[in-house]
């Protein structure tokens, strides 16, 4: 799945940020470049940390091994909601064990996906989500949520189980009203390159109301490449495009966004 269907040449490096930032969510194992190259390119534009995210036991182990070999790379481990159907009974015990590794800063991405998985799979996704919440709480790691067309149910499960102290909605996909609900609960919202898409007006409205102290930025690389490069391979070095889009929406300088997400990531991920 390397490249994950992205087409065309990698976009050029953007102008460096005036203040350093990070990529809170990427999949280095799915990219068509070596990790060292991805790290070097990111550093060249002011992205000095990244979290690479697993979707099952083997990929979660890969993220840990990769993070262990690179000072500024950290790992998140989980069984992705859409991978629950393929998980063995011992998968969650395995994730709980991996989550204790010192380079693991989050449990995720976990949550609910009502877009790619039909109703017959929702119960299993919810059971997995509850198990990941327990793992995050027992290990003291942040919980990174995948929420696609399932806003109300995600909030219901978090309420039922009692949310961990640090919750991140990865690739936030709600509107302004949902952003306000997340803010009221103290949940962090991480925005990706799709905030730049032409059809993403509700997402930009969510950015506008998201408090700076509950804001993160990510690529979800190799997916969700920001405009004007949509459909081409994404990578952590393209975070500046999303930082600048968020700054434009919030009518602040890019450095203010970069500094806010840097402070927030340190608090959320504990590095």
């Amino acid at each position: 799945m390397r490249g994950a269907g992205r087409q065309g040449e990698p976009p050029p490096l953007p102008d460096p940020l005036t203040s350093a930032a990070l990529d809170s969510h990427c999949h280095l194992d799915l990219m068509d470049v070596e990790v060292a190259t991805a790290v070097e390119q990111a550093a060249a534009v002011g992205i000095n940390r990244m979290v690479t995210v697993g979707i099952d036991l083997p990929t979660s182990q890969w993220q840990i091994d990769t993070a262990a070999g690179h000072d500024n790379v950290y790992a998140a481990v989980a069984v992705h909601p859409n991978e629950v159907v393929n998980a063995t009974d011992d998968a969650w015990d395995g994730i709980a064990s991996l989550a204790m590794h010192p380079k693991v800063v989050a449990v995720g991405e976990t949550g609910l996906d009502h877009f790619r998985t039909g109703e017959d799979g929702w119960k299993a996704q919810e059971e997995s989500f509850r198990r990941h919440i327990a793992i995050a709480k027992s290990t003291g790691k942040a919980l990174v949520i995948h929420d696609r067309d399932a806003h109300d149910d995600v909030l219901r499960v978090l309420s039922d189980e009692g949310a961990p102290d640090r919750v991140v909605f990865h690739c936030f996909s709600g509107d302004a009203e949902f952003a306000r609900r997340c803010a009221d609960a103290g949940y962090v919202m991480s925005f990706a390159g799709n905030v730049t898409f032409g059809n993403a007006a509700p997402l930009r409205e969510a950015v506008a109301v998201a408090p700076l102290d509950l804001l993160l930025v990510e690529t979800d690389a190799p997916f969700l490449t920001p405009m004007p490069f949509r459909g081409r391979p994404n990578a952590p070095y393209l975070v500046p495009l999303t930082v600048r889009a968020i700054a434009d929406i919030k009518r602040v300088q890019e450095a203010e966004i970069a500094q806010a997400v840097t402070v927030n990531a340190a608090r959320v991920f504990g590095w």
Side-chain angles (χ1 to χ4, degrees), residues 7-14 41 225-226 228-235 237-238 241:
Q7 298 179 351
E9 291 296 315
L13 269 65
Q41 290 176 326
T225 311
F229 306 110
R230 185 177 182 179
R232 290 165 66 176
N234 202 1
Y237 72 80
L238 292 173
L241 299 181

PDB file of all heavy atoms in Angstrom, residues 7-14 41 225-226 228-235 237-238 241:
ATOM      1  N   GLN A   7      -0.813   9.987  -6.932  1.00  0.00           N
ATOM      2  CA  GLN A   7      -0.256  10.026  -8.276  1.00  0.00           C
ATOM      3  C   GLN A   7       0.525  11.313  -8.500  1.00  0.00           C
ATOM      4  O   GLN A   7       0.259  12.325  -7.872  1.00  0.00           O
ATOM      5  CB  GLN A   7      -1.375   9.907  -9.316  1.00  0.00           C
ATOM      6  CG  GLN A   7      -2.147   8.596  -9.233  1.00  0.00           C
ATOM      7  CD  GLN A   7      -3.258   8.519 -10.257  1.00  0.00           C
ATOM      8  OE1 GLN A   7      -3.575   9.486 -10.930  1.00  0.00           O
ATOM      9  NE2 GLN A   7      -3.844   7.339 -10.375  1.00  0.00           N
ATOM     10  N   GLY A   8       1.473  11.248  -9.440  1.00  0.00           N
ATOM     11  CA  GLY A   8       2.237  12.425  -9.799  1.00  0.00           C
ATOM     12  C   GLY A   8       3.487  12.588  -8.963  1.00  0.00           C
ATOM     13  O   GLY A   8       3.767  11.830  -8.031  1.00  0.00           O
ATOM     14  N   GLU A   9       4.234  13.619  -9.302  1.00  0.00           N
ATOM     15  CA  GLU A   9       5.472  13.909  -8.599  1.00  0.00           C
ATOM     16  C   GLU A   9       5.180  14.509  -7.219  1.00  0.00           C
ATOM     17  O   GLU A   9       4.173  15.205  -7.039  1.00  0.00           O
ATOM     18  CB  GLU A   9       6.308  14.897  -9.408  1.00  0.00           C
ATOM     19  CG  GLU A   9       6.862  14.324 -10.695  1.00  0.00           C
ATOM     20  CD  GLU A   9       7.840  13.195 -10.432  1.00  0.00           C
ATOM     21  OE1 GLU A   9       8.693  13.367  -9.527  1.00  0.00           O
ATOM     22  OE2 GLU A   9       7.746  12.159 -11.099  1.00  0.00           O
ATOM     23  N   PRO A  10       6.055  14.266  -6.269  1.00  0.00           N
ATOM     24  CA  PRO A  10       5.888  14.935  -4.972  1.00  0.00           C
ATOM     25  C   PRO A  10       5.907  16.445  -5.155  1.00  0.00           C
ATOM     26  O   PRO A  10       6.682  16.967  -5.962  1.00  0.00           O
ATOM     27  CB  PRO A  10       7.095  14.448  -4.171  1.00  0.00           C
ATOM     28  CG  PRO A  10       7.506  13.171  -4.820  1.00  0.00           C
ATOM     29  CD  PRO A  10       7.212  13.347  -6.273  1.00  0.00           C
ATOM     30  N   PRO A  11       5.076  17.171  -4.429  1.00  0.00           N
ATOM     31  CA  PRO A  11       5.082  18.639  -4.523  1.00  0.00           C
ATOM     32  C   PRO A  11       6.429  19.214  -4.096  1.00  0.00           C
ATOM     33  O   PRO A  11       7.178  18.584  -3.347  1.00  0.00           O
ATOM     34  CB  PRO A  11       3.968  19.063  -3.553  1.00  0.00           C
ATOM     35  CG  PRO A  11       3.093  17.856  -3.430  1.00  0.00           C
ATOM     36  CD  PRO A  11       4.014  16.685  -3.537  1.00  0.00           C
ATOM     37  N   PRO A  12       6.743  20.425  -4.557  1.00  0.00           N
ATOM     38  CA  PRO A  12       7.989  21.066  -4.124  1.00  0.00           C
ATOM     39  C   PRO A  12       7.920  21.454  -2.658  1.00  0.00           C
ATOM     40  O   PRO A  12       6.829  21.616  -2.086  1.00  0.00           O
ATOM     41  CB  PRO A  12       8.060  22.302  -5.019  1.00  0.00           C
ATOM     42  CG  PRO A  12       6.636  22.601  -5.361  1.00  0.00           C
ATOM     43  CD  PRO A  12       5.954  21.270  -5.475  1.00  0.00           C
ATOM     44  N   LEU A  13       9.087  21.616  -2.051  1.00  0.00           N
ATOM     45  CA  LEU A  13       9.123  22.085  -0.673  1.00  0.00           C
ATOM     46  C   LEU A  13       8.599  23.517  -0.609  1.00  0.00           C
ATOM     47  O   LEU A  13       8.994  24.363  -1.415  1.00  0.00           O
ATOM     48  CB  LEU A  13      10.549  22.039  -0.123  1.00  0.00           C
ATOM     49  CG  LEU A  13      10.979  20.754   0.586  1.00  0.00           C
ATOM     50  CD1 LEU A  13      11.015  19.580  -0.367  1.00  0.00           C
ATOM     51  CD2 LEU A  13      12.323  20.938   1.273  1.00  0.00           C
ATOM     52  N   PRO A  14       7.707  23.801   0.325  1.00  0.00           N
ATOM     53  CA  PRO A  14       7.232  25.176   0.499  1.00  0.00           C
ATOM     54  C   PRO A  14       8.277  26.029   1.210  1.00  0.00           C
ATOM     55  O   PRO A  14       9.286  25.520   1.703  1.00  0.00           O
ATOM     56  CB  PRO A  14       5.992  25.002   1.381  1.00  0.00           C
ATOM     57  CG  PRO A  14       6.284  23.776   2.186  1.00  0.00           C
ATOM     58  CD  PRO A  14       7.087  22.872   1.281  1.00  0.00           C
ATOM     59  N   GLN A  41      13.548  16.412   4.870  1.00  0.00           N
ATOM     60  CA  GLN A  41      12.737  17.382   4.130  1.00  0.00           C
ATOM     61  C   GLN A  41      11.867  18.191   5.085  1.00  0.00           C
ATOM     62  O   GLN A  41      11.713  19.411   4.916  1.00  0.00           O
ATOM     63  CB  GLN A  41      11.872  16.662   3.099  1.00  0.00           C
ATOM     64  CG  GLN A  41      12.649  16.069   1.946  1.00  0.00           C
ATOM     65  CD  GLN A  41      11.756  15.288   0.992  1.00  0.00           C
ATOM     66  OE1 GLN A  41      10.779  14.667   1.405  1.00  0.00           O
ATOM     67  NE2 GLN A  41      12.082  15.320  -0.288  1.00  0.00           N
ATOM     68  N   THR A 225      -3.364  15.643   0.699  1.00  0.00           N
ATOM     69  CA  THR A 225      -2.385  16.650   0.308  1.00  0.00           C
ATOM     70  C   THR A 225      -3.074  17.997   0.103  1.00  0.00           C
ATOM     71  O   THR A 225      -4.086  18.083  -0.592  1.00  0.00           O
ATOM     72  CB  THR A 225      -1.691  16.228  -0.999  1.00  0.00           C
ATOM     73  OG1 THR A 225      -1.265  14.862  -0.857  1.00  0.00           O
ATOM     74  CG2 THR A 225      -0.498  17.114  -1.301  1.00  0.00           C
ATOM     75  N   PRO A 226      -2.537  19.063   0.706  1.00  0.00           N
ATOM     76  CA  PRO A 226      -3.185  20.376   0.589  1.00  0.00           C
ATOM     77  C   PRO A 226      -3.196  20.878  -0.856  1.00  0.00           C
ATOM     78  O   PRO A 226      -2.363  20.502  -1.682  1.00  0.00           O
ATOM     79  CB  PRO A 226      -2.317  21.288   1.472  1.00  0.00           C
ATOM     80  CG  PRO A 226      -1.527  20.369   2.342  1.00  0.00           C
ATOM     81  CD  PRO A 226      -1.346  19.110   1.573  1.00  0.00           C
ATOM     82  N   PRO A 228      -2.366  23.540  -3.652  1.00  0.00           N
ATOM     83  CA  PRO A 228      -2.880  23.146  -4.964  1.00  0.00           C
ATOM     84  C   PRO A 228      -2.368  21.799  -5.443  1.00  0.00           C
ATOM     85  O   PRO A 228      -2.323  21.551  -6.652  1.00  0.00           O
ATOM     86  CB  PRO A 228      -2.363  24.265  -5.861  1.00  0.00           C
ATOM     87  CG  PRO A 228      -1.023  24.577  -5.277  1.00  0.00           C
ATOM     88  CD  PRO A 228      -1.184  24.419  -3.781  1.00  0.00           C
ATOM     89  N   PHE A 229      -2.012  20.902  -4.510  1.00  0.00           N
ATOM     90  CA  PHE A 229      -1.377  19.637  -4.888  1.00  0.00           C
ATOM     91  C   PHE A 229      -2.251  18.430  -4.558  1.00  0.00           C
ATOM     92  O   PHE A 229      -1.749  17.311  -4.459  1.00  0.00           O
ATOM     93  CB  PHE A 229      -0.020  19.509  -4.196  1.00  0.00           C
ATOM     94  CG  PHE A 229       0.890  20.678  -4.442  1.00  0.00           C
ATOM     95  CD1 PHE A 229       1.186  21.572  -3.411  1.00  0.00           C
ATOM     96  CD2 PHE A 229       1.424  20.908  -5.690  1.00  0.00           C
ATOM     97  CE1 PHE A 229       2.028  22.649  -3.630  1.00  0.00           C
ATOM     98  CE2 PHE A 229       2.264  21.991  -5.930  1.00  0.00           C
ATOM     99  CZ  PHE A 229       2.566  22.869  -4.895  1.00  0.00           C
ATOM    100  N   ARG A 230      -3.537  18.637  -4.392  1.00  0.00           N
ATOM    101  CA  ARG A 230      -4.440  17.549  -4.025  1.00  0.00           C
ATOM    102  C   ARG A 230      -4.286  16.370  -4.993  1.00  0.00           C
ATOM    103  O   ARG A 230      -4.233  16.553  -6.212  1.00  0.00           O
ATOM    104  CB  ARG A 230      -5.885  18.050  -4.040  1.00  0.00           C
ATOM    105  CG  ARG A 230      -6.895  17.014  -3.556  1.00  0.00           C
ATOM    106  CD  ARG A 230      -8.300  17.592  -3.528  1.00  0.00           C
ATOM    107  NE  ARG A 230      -9.264  16.630  -3.014  1.00  0.00           N
ATOM    108  CZ  ARG A 230     -10.559  16.866  -2.863  1.00  0.00           C
ATOM    109  NH1 ARG A 230     -11.066  18.050  -3.201  1.00  0.00           N
ATOM    110  NH2 ARG A 230     -11.362  15.931  -2.389  1.00  0.00           N
ATOM    111  N   GLY A 231      -4.194  15.163  -4.426  1.00  0.00           N
ATOM    112  CA  GLY A 231      -4.046  13.960  -5.227  1.00  0.00           C
ATOM    113  C   GLY A 231      -2.614  13.514  -5.412  1.00  0.00           C
ATOM    114  O   GLY A 231      -2.362  12.362  -5.759  1.00  0.00           O
ATOM    115  N   ARG A 232      -1.660  14.412  -5.174  1.00  0.00           N
ATOM    116  CA  ARG A 232      -0.250  14.054  -5.249  1.00  0.00           C
ATOM    117  C   ARG A 232       0.228  13.576  -3.873  1.00  0.00           C
ATOM    118  O   ARG A 232      -0.476  13.729  -2.878  1.00  0.00           O
ATOM    119  CB  ARG A 232       0.558  15.247  -5.773  1.00  0.00           C
ATOM    120  CG  ARG A 232       0.268  15.530  -7.249  1.00  0.00           C
ATOM    121  CD  ARG A 232       0.746  16.877  -7.707  1.00  0.00           C
ATOM    122  NE  ARG A 232       2.198  17.005  -7.690  1.00  0.00           N
ATOM    123  CZ  ARG A 232       2.843  18.092  -8.133  1.00  0.00           C
ATOM    124  NH1 ARG A 232       2.166  19.127  -8.628  1.00  0.00           N
ATOM    125  NH2 ARG A 232       4.170  18.140  -8.075  1.00  0.00           N
ATOM    126  N   PRO A 233       1.404  12.965  -3.777  1.00  0.00           N
ATOM    127  CA  PRO A 233       1.844  12.393  -2.497  1.00  0.00           C
ATOM    128  C   PRO A 233       2.021  13.464  -1.422  1.00  0.00           C
ATOM    129  O   PRO A 233       2.689  14.472  -1.641  1.00  0.00           O
ATOM    130  CB  PRO A 233       3.181  11.733  -2.851  1.00  0.00           C
ATOM    131  CG  PRO A 233       3.129  11.507  -4.332  1.00  0.00           C
ATOM    132  CD  PRO A 233       2.346  12.659  -4.879  1.00  0.00           C
ATOM    133  N   ASN A 234       1.457  13.209  -0.279  1.00  0.00           N
ATOM    134  CA  ASN A 234       1.613  14.112   0.857  1.00  0.00           C
ATOM    135  C   ASN A 234       2.799  13.665   1.711  1.00  0.00           C
ATOM    136  O   ASN A 234       3.221  12.505   1.657  1.00  0.00           O
ATOM    137  CB  ASN A 234       0.333  14.124   1.699  1.00  0.00           C
ATOM    138  CG  ASN A 234       0.193  15.370   2.547  1.00  0.00           C
ATOM    139  OD1 ASN A 234       1.030  16.261   2.513  1.00  0.00           O
ATOM    140  ND2 ASN A 234      -0.877  15.444   3.313  1.00  0.00           N
ATOM    141  N   ALA A 235       3.327  14.587   2.506  1.00  0.00           N
ATOM    142  CA  ALA A 235       4.480  14.304   3.358  1.00  0.00           C
ATOM    143  C   ALA A 235       4.553  15.363   4.446  1.00  0.00           C
ATOM    144  O   ALA A 235       3.985  16.455   4.302  1.00  0.00           O
ATOM    145  CB  ALA A 235       5.771  14.312   2.522  1.00  0.00           C
ATOM    146  N   TYR A 237       6.670  17.492   5.171  1.00  0.00           N
ATOM    147  CA  TYR A 237       7.199  18.804   4.772  1.00  0.00           C
ATOM    148  C   TYR A 237       6.125  19.742   4.226  1.00  0.00           C
ATOM    149  O   TYR A 237       6.385  20.927   4.033  1.00  0.00           O
ATOM    150  CB  TYR A 237       8.343  18.655   3.768  1.00  0.00           C
ATOM    151  CG  TYR A 237       7.964  18.214   2.361  1.00  0.00           C
ATOM    152  CD1 TYR A 237       7.450  19.117   1.436  1.00  0.00           C
ATOM    153  CD2 TYR A 237       8.162  16.901   1.950  1.00  0.00           C
ATOM    154  CE1 TYR A 237       7.120  18.719   0.137  1.00  0.00           C
ATOM    155  CE2 TYR A 237       7.844  16.500   0.671  1.00  0.00           C
ATOM    156  CZ  TYR A 237       7.322  17.404  -0.241  1.00  0.00           C
ATOM    157  OH  TYR A 237       7.000  17.001  -1.519  1.00  0.00           O
ATOM    158  N   LEU A 238       4.911  19.232   4.005  1.00  0.00           N
ATOM    159  CA  LEU A 238       3.826  20.079   3.505  1.00  0.00           C
ATOM    160  C   LEU A 238       2.957  20.659   4.616  1.00  0.00           C
ATOM    161  O   LEU A 238       2.004  21.394   4.337  1.00  0.00           O
ATOM    162  CB  LEU A 238       2.966  19.293   2.508  1.00  0.00           C
ATOM    163  CG  LEU A 238       3.688  18.944   1.200  1.00  0.00           C
ATOM    164  CD1 LEU A 238       2.841  18.018   0.339  1.00  0.00           C
ATOM    165  CD2 LEU A 238       4.056  20.205   0.417  1.00  0.00           C
ATOM    166  N   LEU A 241       1.832  24.432   4.498  1.00  0.00           N
ATOM    167  CA  LEU A 241       0.684  24.866   3.698  1.00  0.00           C
ATOM    168  C   LEU A 241      -0.588  24.891   4.540  1.00  0.00           C
ATOM    169  O   LEU A 241      -1.420  25.807   4.418  1.00  0.00           O
ATOM    170  CB  LEU A 241       0.499  23.945   2.489  1.00  0.00           C
ATOM    171  CG  LEU A 241       1.663  23.876   1.502  1.00  0.00           C
ATOM    172  CD1 LEU A 241       1.320  22.949   0.340  1.00  0.00           C
ATOM    173  CD2 LEU A 241       2.035  25.265   0.995  1.00  0.00           C
TER     174      LEU A 241
END
